[in-house]
């Protein structure tokens, strides 16, 4: 390619043309010689006014190994930022031109064995408030050369140049030593010189078109070629694309692809990439369709098993965009931080050959070996959805590890996993609601085939996979944003009026990023292709539409009430998308995060869509033991007047505070019953799930809620609570399974999910609820089985009438006990937090107990104290290595002996000891076991 580091040989040449940022004398400098470097303030980002004196250079080097990183991995940096550092002050030459003389090896104090590839620069005024950088704001790199033969086009500096008909363009070329030089224009020889170091030519043409100006330099043993593209009043060939061509990458045969880009109001588009060495070439000017809106180009001679990186260059060299329909994109900012284990053999970004995101195409792509042909989606009215964020669920943050958790989720009994957005988003560390490319899975979580393997394994276990997808908005790396964008409009820039997909200004009050216009047919076509893509390529079972209420063009920026109110155009848009999904994949789910006024949600539900039923405040209040806002009735579709059970009600989601955090920090109390007590909070989590999952219709739980996760949504990495940390990474606590009291919540939830999944009663339409007070009841009715669910959310005892459907024998699901009820008006004394599910037929009793022996085997532990925290009796379990005398002691937090628990000879193997902590003051203690061959200790909290 034509590099930004080919420079003029003399200051006179430099002053004649000031389009480039840096020039040098000599033009092909090496690391061991003095180099005069010239900086032109009237170039790049124009960050430093020409009147600024003095100018300082902040500079470092990049090794030859790292030179493709361009602005990354600076080393041996010189210049103290924001100071009047005399070592890096430049000499002003007038006209905004400044110079500095550098001998790289000496100036940067480079140690032996370090090979310099590039010099890196950012220029500044004294205090650093002004910065001179590249046009796109990136750091400026300056390439050094190995001793030897070099040649290049010195003027013009650009890789591509636009010219008027008849305009004269002065072409200057140079070589580092005498050589035979030729200049060719579209393969025609126009100038030559033998045994020369310079060759000039004045280019001019009256005919419009693209002209490849090529320098060929041959010194008898080496030949160097460099190309400059000159566009003269460029007019692309007007030609219709072959029938069946769609926007994006069209694979034609084993050596041919056809690229098509929708780009109305653009003058011309070039394709640059690995297939043309990232050089602008007239042969890669895209054809334009007769309507003037679409550009296309067929590229031949490709290797079918090679991955080719490419971009579109639109109207000028600086506007480079990736293909929005790409399934794999590379970026220079984030890819380097993705671990090799997560994405093995990732294609490398093409170094300094270009800037911005690039696309990848490959003709031969392996088909994933799907084995899920027998999978049947669970019925929507009995879904138990597990919402998770890959980043915060598994330490390795990838699909391979996520697959390893499926035993845990399968045993929990969930019937669907809802992944927070996984298509390419900006950065590697995100909730995913800042999308940029909608067809590419984000590499931060793994490869395409890894995601497919995850879906396939879920399906083989009978678990559906739902994608959370963001079609309300996109962010600034999206080519559809960048192609039509005004960076100077508004605080963050905004799309221009001619943008075919996006609104200039968002049309609702809670928008982030840039707002799609869903009334626009082009937007609708794009979104439908997105929806088809994941259904077909990844066997996804449905979608959760983020911020679906934003799919409106009714400008209500200042009126939230109007935004929530019934909007027929929005109903029509969402119904159209739903119908399209059903046409592509009948039975696929569509869940809306709508949260609008009920009349509109009621219509959307009747049209076949499920909707999020946010009940977080109510479940938090009920779990904390407060009457205010604790009515759970709105979590049932019939309470909203809906005819079908399409309400996905939930007590926790990614967007809301964690219930057990609220329990521990704000829970109610009465006497000795305190919800802020850790174990009591766990009991309340069981109670909350008992009154969520059995409710008719689909339900959702948030990751680790089944283990009583108790970090705030606003938890920061330093342990503080701050709303600025809302979307930041949270602690991943798989060790919660090792706490028997937490694991009991899991077992209760699993038992509830089993009922939801297997018992037809839990999809009955015959039910009644009494969920308003702190004593709550649910009645599920059918001809063959009835259930009465009763629970006390108060912090004091309640005498409750369960209201059994009939007299006779009733069976307690969780305890396995039975009794005969002869008086339907009988009341039962329910202790705070107590709950029961009664059936009128015998049911298999679920195992929700966790004793020490089971827990140690389950978790692979060699030492355990249960329960922990404890308010009375506890059991100590440990694996003894060999027969020996053992001493078991209780120590305080300072290590002081509080009580000798036991001292005796014990055999090898698992040992259990009972101990009463009654009379021990509340606090944190340690159980220590001392033997002849081992000393181990574990903390225990005594309440």
């Amino acid at each position: 390619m034509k590099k930004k580091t080919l420079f003029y040989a003399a200051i006179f040449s430099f002053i004649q043309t000031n389009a480039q940022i840096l020039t040098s004398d000599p033009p092909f400098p090496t690391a061991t010689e003095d180099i005069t470097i010239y900086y032109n303030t009237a170039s790049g980002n124009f960050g430093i006014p020409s009147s600024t004196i003095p100018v300082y250079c902040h500079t470092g080097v990049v090794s030859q190994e790292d030179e493709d990183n361009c602005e990354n991995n600076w080393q041996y940096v010189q210049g103290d930022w924001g100071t009047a550092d005399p070592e890096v002050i430049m000499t002003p030459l007038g006209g905004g031109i400044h110079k500095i003389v550098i001998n790289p090896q000496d100036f940067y104090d480079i140690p032996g064995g370090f090979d310099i590839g590039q010099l890196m620069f950012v220029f500044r005024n004294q205090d650093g408030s002004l910065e001179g950088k590249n046009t796109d704001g990136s750091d400026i790199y300056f390439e050094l050369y190995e001793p030897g033969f070099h040649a290049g086009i010195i003027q013009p500096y650009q890789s591509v140049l636009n010219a008027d008909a008849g305009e004269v363009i002065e072409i200057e070329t140079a070589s580092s030593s005498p050589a035979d030089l030729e200049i060719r224009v579209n393969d025609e020889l126009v100038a030559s010189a033998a045994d020369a170091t310079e060759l000039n030519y004045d280019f001019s043409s009256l005919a419009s078109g693209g002209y490849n100006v090529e320098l060929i330099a041959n010194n008898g043993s080496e030949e160097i070629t460099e190309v400059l593209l000159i566009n003269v009043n460029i007019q692309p060939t007007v030609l219709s694309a072959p029938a069946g061509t769609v926007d994006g990458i069209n694979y034609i045969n084993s050596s041919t692809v056809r690229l098509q880009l929708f780009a109305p109001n653009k003058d011309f588009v070039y394709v640059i990439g690995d297939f043309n060495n990232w050089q602008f070439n007239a042969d890669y000017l895209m054809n334009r369709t007769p309507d003037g809106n679409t550009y296309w180009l067929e590229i031949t001679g490709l290797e079918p098993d090679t991955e080719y990186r490419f971009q579109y260059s639109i109207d000028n060299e600086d506007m480079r965009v990736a293909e929005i329909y790409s399934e794999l994109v590379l970026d220079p900012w984030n890819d380097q931080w993705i671990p090799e284990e997560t994405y093995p053999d990732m294609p490398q970004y093409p170094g300094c050959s270009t800037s911005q995101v690039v696309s990848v195409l490959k003709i031969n792509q392996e088909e994933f070996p799907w084995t899920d042909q027998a999978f049947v989606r669970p019925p929507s009215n009995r879904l138990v959805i597990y919402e998770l964020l890959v980043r915060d669920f598994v330490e390795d943050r990838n699909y391979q590890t996520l697959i390893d958790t499926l035993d845990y989720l399968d045993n929990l009994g969930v019937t669907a996993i809802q992944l927070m957005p996984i298509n390419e988003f900006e950065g590697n560390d995100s909730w995913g609601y800042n999308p940029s490319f909608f067809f590419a899975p984000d590499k931060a979580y793994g490869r395409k085939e890894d995601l497919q393997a995850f879906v396939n394994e879920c399906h083989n276990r009978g678990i559906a996979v739902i994608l959370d997808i963001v079609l309300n908005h996109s962010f600034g790396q999206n080519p559809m944003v960048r192609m039509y964008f005004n960076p100077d409009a508004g605080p963050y820039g905004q799309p221009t009026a001619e943008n075919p997909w996006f609104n200039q200004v968002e049309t609702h009050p809670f928008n982030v990023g840039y707002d799609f216009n869903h009334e626009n047919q082009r937007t609708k076509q794009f979104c439908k292709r997105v929806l088809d893509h994941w259904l077909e390529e990844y066997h996804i079972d449905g979608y959760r539409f983020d911020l679906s209420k934003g799919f409106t063009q009714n400008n209500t920026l200042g009126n939230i009430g109007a935004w929530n109110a019934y909007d027929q155009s929005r109903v029509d848009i969402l119904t159209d998308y739903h119908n399209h999904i059903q046409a592509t994949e009948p039975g696929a789910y569509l869940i809306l995060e709508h949260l609008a006024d009920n009349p509109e949600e009621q219509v959307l539900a009747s049209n076949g869509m499920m909707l999020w039923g946010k009940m977080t405040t109510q479940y938090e209040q009920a779990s904390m033991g407060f009457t205010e806002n604790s009515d759970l009735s709105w979590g049932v579709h019939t309470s909203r007047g809906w005819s079908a059970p399409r309400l996905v009600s939930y007590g926790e989601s990614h967007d809301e505070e964690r219930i057990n955090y609220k329990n521990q920090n704000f829970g109610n109390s009465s006497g000795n019953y305190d919800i802020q007590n850790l174990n009591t909070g766990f009991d309340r989590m069981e109670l909350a799930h008992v009154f969520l999952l059995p409710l008719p219709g689909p339900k959702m739980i948030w990751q680790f809620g089944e283990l009583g996760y108790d970090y705030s949504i606003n938890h920061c990495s330093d342990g503080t609570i701050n709303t600025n940390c809302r979307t930041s990474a949270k602690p991943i606590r798989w060790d919660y399974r090792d706490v028997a009291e937490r694991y009991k919540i899991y077992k209760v939830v699993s038992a509830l999910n089993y009922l939801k999944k297997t018992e037809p009663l839990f999809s009955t339409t015959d039910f009644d609820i009494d969920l308003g007070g702190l004593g709550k009841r649910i009645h599920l009715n059918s001809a063959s089985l009835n259930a009465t669910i009763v629970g006390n959310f108060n912090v004091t005892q309640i005498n409750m009438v369960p209201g059994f459907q009939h007299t006779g024998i009733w069976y307690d699901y969780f305890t396995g006990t039975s009794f005969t009820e002869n008086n339907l008006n009988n009341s039962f004394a329910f202790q705070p937090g107590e709950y029961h599910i009664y059936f009128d037929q015998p049911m298999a009793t679920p195992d929700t107990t966790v004793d020490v022996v089971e827990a140690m085997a389950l978790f692979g532990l060699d030492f355990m104290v249960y329960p922990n925290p404890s308010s009375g009796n506890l059991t100590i379990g440990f694996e003894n290595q060999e027969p020996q005398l053992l001493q078991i002691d209780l120590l305080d937090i300072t290590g002081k002996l509080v009580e000798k628990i036991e001292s005796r000879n014990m055999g090898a193997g698992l040992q259990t000891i009972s101990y009463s902590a009654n009379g021990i003051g509340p606090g944190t203690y340690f159980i220590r076991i001392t033997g002849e061959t081992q000393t181990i200790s574990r903390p225990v909290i005594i309440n």
Side-chain angles (χ1 to χ4, degrees):
M1 68 169 283
K2 181 164 177 61
K3 298 178 179 178
K4 296 182 178 180
T5 49
L6 297 176
F7 308 104
Y8 297 125
I11 187 64
F12 177 74
S13 305
F14 172 77
I15 294 173
Q16 281 186 317
T17 173
N18 52 16
Q20 52 199 316
I21 303 173
L22 299 183
T23 57
S24 74
D25 182 12
F28 305 105
T30 66
T32 58
E33 62 185 323
D34 289 344
I35 310 167
T36 303
I37 295 174
Y38 301 94
Y39 166 57
N40 180 10
T41 60
S43 61
N45 68 340
F46 305 100
I48 299 179
S50 60
S51 59
T52 301
I53 295 176
V55 169
Y56 298 82
C57 66
H58 187 71
T59 180
V61 301
V62 172
S63 73
Q64 290 184 6
E65 292 181 356
D66 291 332
E67 61 182 342
D68 279 351
N69 288 325
C70 294
E71 59 184 286
N72 296 310
N73 297 335
W74 283 41
Q75 299 185 62
Y76 306 107
V77 176
Q78 302 297 313
D80 292 327
W81 190 266
T83 69
D85 189 336
E87 299 298 322
V88 292
I89 195 168
M90 304 187 74
T91 302
L93 301 177
I97 299 168
H98 303 259
K99 77 170 184 178
I100 189 170
V101 179
I102 289 176
N103 184 300
Q105 201 71 37
D106 297 335
F107 182 82
Y108 297 98
D109 194 20
I110 301 298
F114 183 92
D115 295 323
I116 306 174
Q118 296 164 342
L119 311 184
M120 303 299 300
F121 291 93
V122 172
F123 299 92
R124 62 172 174 86
N125 61 349
Q126 179 173 310
D127 65 10
S129 58
L130 302 173
E131 295 183 17
K133 292 188 170 187
N134 281 323
T135 304
D136 61 2
S138 61
D139 301 342
I140 302 167
Y141 70 88
F142 178 99
E143 188 159 345
L144 298 180
Y145 295 81
E146 294 291 333
F149 178 53
H150 302 284
I153 298 173
I154 302 302
Q155 180 180 341
Y157 160 71
Q158 297 92 329
S159 297
V160 58
L161 190 68
N162 297 330
D164 295 327
E167 181 180 352
V168 177
I169 306 295
E170 296 179 354
I171 309 296
E172 297 182 7
T173 72
S175 64
S176 59
S177 59
D180 293 338
L181 305 178
E182 292 184 353
I183 297 176
R184 293 179 174 271
V185 177
N186 289 351
D187 291 330
E188 179 184 350
L189 181 65
V190 296
S192 64
D195 199 29
T197 58
E198 295 181 2
L199 178 62
N200 301 331
Y201 170 72
D202 288 345
F203 170 88
S204 181
S205 178
L206 294 174
S208 65
Y211 295 86
N212 295 322
V213 179
E214 184 178 35
L215 167 69
I216 302 173
N218 192 315
N219 69 352
S221 59
E222 294 182 66
E223 185 173 284
I224 295 174
T225 301
E226 186 171 355
V227 179
L228 161 70
L229 175 62
I230 299 179
N231 292 318
V232 177
N233 292 344
I234 190 68
Q235 293 295 322
T237 300
V238 177
L239 185 66
S240 295
T245 304
V246 297
D247 292 346
I249 305 169
N250 298 260
Y251 293 102
I252 307 304
N253 56 43
S254 62
S255 63
T256 305
V257 299
R258 186 181 304 130
L259 304 177
Q260 180 164 292
L261 176 70
F262 182 70
N265 301 313
K266 300 300 182 182
D267 294 328
F268 58 87
V269 181
Y270 281 96
V271 181
I272 55 173
D274 291 331
F275 33 71
N276 56 19
N277 295 318
W278 295 92
Q279 294 188 5
F280 285 84
N281 190 302
D283 295 336
Y284 289 84
L285 177 67
M286 301 186 80
N287 305 298
R288 184 162 59 201
T289 56
D291 64 6
N293 292 331
T294 303
Y295 293 82
W296 66 276
L297 180 70
E298 205 160 275
I299 301 175
T300 60
L302 302 178
E303 294 293 331
D305 295 317
T306 298
E307 291 179 310
Y308 292 93
R309 302 161 297 182
F310 74 98
Q311 287 174 314
Y312 301 114
S313 176
I314 304 173
D315 285 358
N316 62 69
E317 185 180 359
D318 293 329
M319 175 53 74
R320 303 183 183 197
V321 299
E323 170 56 68
I324 188 61
Y325 291 94
S326 299
E327 293 189 60
L328 176 60
V329 296
L330 309 174
D331 75 58
W333 312 288
N334 303 297
D335 290 357
Q336 61 185 310
W337 308 113
I338 297 174
E340 173 73 14
E341 317 83 77
T342 293
Y343 202 112
D345 303 319
M346 183 194 302
Q348 295 300 302
Y349 186 83
C352 302
S353 298
T354 190
S355 60
Q356 298 294 330
V357 178
V358 306
S359 292
V360 179
L361 64 82
K362 181 182 178 183
I363 293 174
N364 281 352
Q365 299 191 34
E366 294 184 9
E367 290 290 327
F368 183 81
W370 294 99
T371 61
D372 64 347
Q373 293 78 10
F375 171 69
V376 178
R377 292 189 187 94
S380 63
N381 65 340
R382 292 166 72 177
L383 281 177
V384 178
I385 301 168
Y386 193 90
E387 185 189 19
L388 69 84
L389 171 60
V390 177
R391 182 197 71 182
D392 290 353
F393 192 62
V394 288
E395 291 285 354
D396 291 337
R397 300 185 177 189
N398 58 42
Y399 300 120
Q400 301 99 304
T401 309
L402 190 60
I403 291 171
D404 296 338
T405 71
L406 287 179
D407 280 347
Y408 172 87
L409 295 173
D410 197 1
N411 291 333
L412 183 60
V414 300
T415 52
I417 296 172
Q418 181 173 296
L419 297 176
M420 286 175 67
I422 52 85
N423 61 284
E424 190 77 28
F425 47 78
E426 306 207 348
N428 293 332
D429 188 341
S430 172
W431 273 8
Y433 295 107
N434 52 341
S436 52
F437 289 83
F438 289 82
F439 291 79
D442 198 291
K443 301 183 299 299
Y445 296 151
R447 302 168 299 177
K448 172 181 180 177
E449 56 265 37
D450 299 325
L451 176 57
Q452 290 171 319
F454 169 74
V455 176
N456 191 61
E457 179 60 24
C458 285
H459 285 177
N460 288 335
R461 295 167 177 265
I463 300 173
V465 179
I466 300 169
L467 278 194
D468 193 340
I469 195 165
V470 185
L471 296 177
N472 171 78
H473 57 265
S474 190
F475 272 63
Q477 289 180 20
N478 184 331
M480 300 189 301
V481 174
R482 293 186 59 235
M483 287 165 60
Y484 304 89
F485 190 75
N486 180 358
D488 299 322
Y492 307 107
Q494 65 184 36
T496 62
E498 62 184 8
N499 193 302
W501 304 278
F502 291 91
N503 293 309
Q504 276 189 282
V505 178
E506 62 272 19
T507 59
H508 58 89
F510 283 100
N511 188 73
V512 294
Y514 304 104
D515 185 31
F516 273 115
N517 176 359
H518 284 279
E519 295 282 8
N520 185 296
Q521 287 303 313
R522 272 287 166 178
T523 299
K524 292 180 180 180
Q525 292 170 18
F526 174 78
C527 291
K528 288 175 181 178
R529 280 192 61 182
V530 171
L531 297 171
D532 289 347
H533 173 71
W534 297 97
L535 292 170
E536 295 169 348
E537 286 293 314
Y538 294 86
H539 292 199
I540 292 300
D541 298 294
Y543 298 98
R544 179 255 189 194
F545 277 6
D546 176 67
L547 201 58
S548 59
K549 194 164 54 182
F551 290 28
T552 178
Q553 285 302 110
N554 293 330
N555 195 324
T556 55
L557 289 177
N559 189 337
I560 293 177
W563 185 49
N564 289 335
Y566 190 92
D567 183 338
Q568 186 61 51
S569 67
R570 186 166 56 198
V571 170
D572 294 341
I573 289 167
L574 291 167
T575 301
D576 180 45
Y577 285 141
H578 177 257
N579 292 342
H580 180 84
I581 291 171
Q582 297 309 308
T584 300
E585 186 61 41
Y589 313 122
L590 178 56
I591 303 169
L592 306 179
E593 186 210 17
H594 213 59
L595 309 179
D597 289 346
N598 190 55
E600 182 172 332
E601 295 202 346
Q602 190 173 13
V603 172
L604 292 167
S606 67
N607 289 350
M609 288 160 268
M610 291 183 279
L611 294 97
W612 260 24
K614 177 183 174 183
M615 294 293 296
T616 54
T617 297
Q618 293 88 339
Y619 276 95
E620 287 170 0
Q621 288 291 100
S623 184
M624 289 189 293
F626 297 111
T627 303
E628 184 179 3
N629 293 327
S630 65
D631 188 345
L632 307 181
S633 304
W634 201 241
V636 182
H637 66 282
T638 52
S639 299
R640 305 183 181 212
W642 299 9
S643 59
R646 296 197 174 103
L647 182 67
V648 184
S649 43
Y650 56 88
E652 291 182 313
S653 76
H654 73 270
D655 241 349
E656 305 297 338
E657 191 55 272
R658 315 302 172 220
I659 292 177
N660 205 32
Y661 171 79
K662 298 293 286 284
N663 285 342
Q664 288 189 33
N665 291 276
F666 309 104
N668 198 3
S669 65
S670 177
N672 293 328
Y673 188 84
D674 185 357
I675 295 175
Q676 294 186 33
N677 174 282
L678 190 59
N679 283 345
T680 305
F682 296 154
D683 294 340
R684 304 295 288 205
M685 291 299 295
E686 296 175 20
L687 177 64
H689 283 95
V690 166
F691 279 83
L692 170 68
L693 296 170
L695 293 177
K699 296 293 167 277
M700 185 182 77
I701 56 180
W702 166 244
Q703 64 182 32
F704 296 133
E706 73 283 357
L707 293 174
Y709 192 84
D710 40 29
Y711 288 88
S712 170
I713 192 175
N714 297 316
H715 177 85
C716 303
S717 59
D718 62 2
T720 60
I721 306 298
N722 191 307
T723 54
N724 292 330
C725 299
R726 178 181 179 83
T727 62
S728 63
K730 299 296 184 285
I732 300 172
R733 298 299 304 269
W734 282 100
D735 60 312
Y736 277 174
R737 292 176 302 168
D738 304 349
V739 178
E741 294 81 0
R742 292 184 183 273
Y743 196 69
K744 183 173 182 287
I745 308 172
Y746 173 96
K747 298 186 80 170
V748 168
V749 172
S750 176
L752 295 168
N753 289 340
Y754 175 80
L755 294 175
K756 188 91 171 181
K757 187 163 54 172
T758 62
E759 288 297 332
L761 176 66
F762 286 81
S763 59
T764 182
T765 58
D766 182 5
F767 61 89
D768 62 81
I769 58 173
D770 178 10
L771 303 175
L774 291 178
K776 302 182 187 296
R777 300 183 304 181
I778 303 170
H779 294 134
L780 305 176
N781 312 308
S782 74
S784 58
L785 182 66
N786 295 283
T788 294
I789 304 172
V790 191
N792 177 11
F793 283 84
N794 211 330
V795 292
T796 58
Q797 176 182 307
I798 296 179
N799 294 322
M800 295 181 60
V801 177
F804 293 111
Q805 289 91 322
H806 57 78
T807 58
I809 301 176
W810 286 85
Y811 302 85
D812 190 315
Y813 177 57
F814 285 110
T815 66
T817 60
S818 62
F819 59 93
T820 301
E821 178 56 70
N822 294 318
N823 183 353
L824 299 183
N825 293 317
N826 274 343
S827 65
F828 292 69
F830 280 77
Q831 298 304 311
E834 184 178 352
Y835 60 83
H836 294 274
I837 298 180
Y838 301 111
F839 290 105
D840 61 358
Q841 299 293 329
M843 305 285 285
T845 304
D847 179 12
T848 60
T849 61
V850 183
D851 62 27
V852 168
V853 175
E854 176 193 1
M856 291 178 67
L858 183 67
F859 306 133
L861 303 179
D862 59 4
F863 189 1
M864 185 175 184
V865 180
Y866 176 83
N868 188 8
S870 174
S871 57
N873 297 326
L874 53 84
T875 301
I876 303 165
F878 60 95
E879 187 74 27
N880 192 22
Q881 297 171 354
E882 61 183 51
Q884 59 182 311
L885 175 66
L886 295 177
Q887 175 72 41
I888 298 91
D889 298 315
L890 180 69
L891 311 177
D892 68 14
I893 199 169
T894 69
K896 180 181 177 182
L897 178 66
V898 175
E899 185 173 351
K900 292 183 177 181
I901 297 175
E902 192 155 349
S903 177
R904 61 182 172 88
N905 287 306
M906 298 185 188
L910 180 63
Q911 307 293 323
T912 59
I913 296 172
S914 297
Y915 171 64
S916 175
N918 293 325
I920 303 297
T924 300
Y925 296 84
F926 287 91
I927 302 291
R928 182 182 66 188
I929 301 175
T930 305
E932 300 168 14
T933 61
Q934 65 185 131
T935 298
I936 53 179
S937 63
R938 288 291 184 273
V940 59
I941 298 173
I942 297 178
N943 295 317

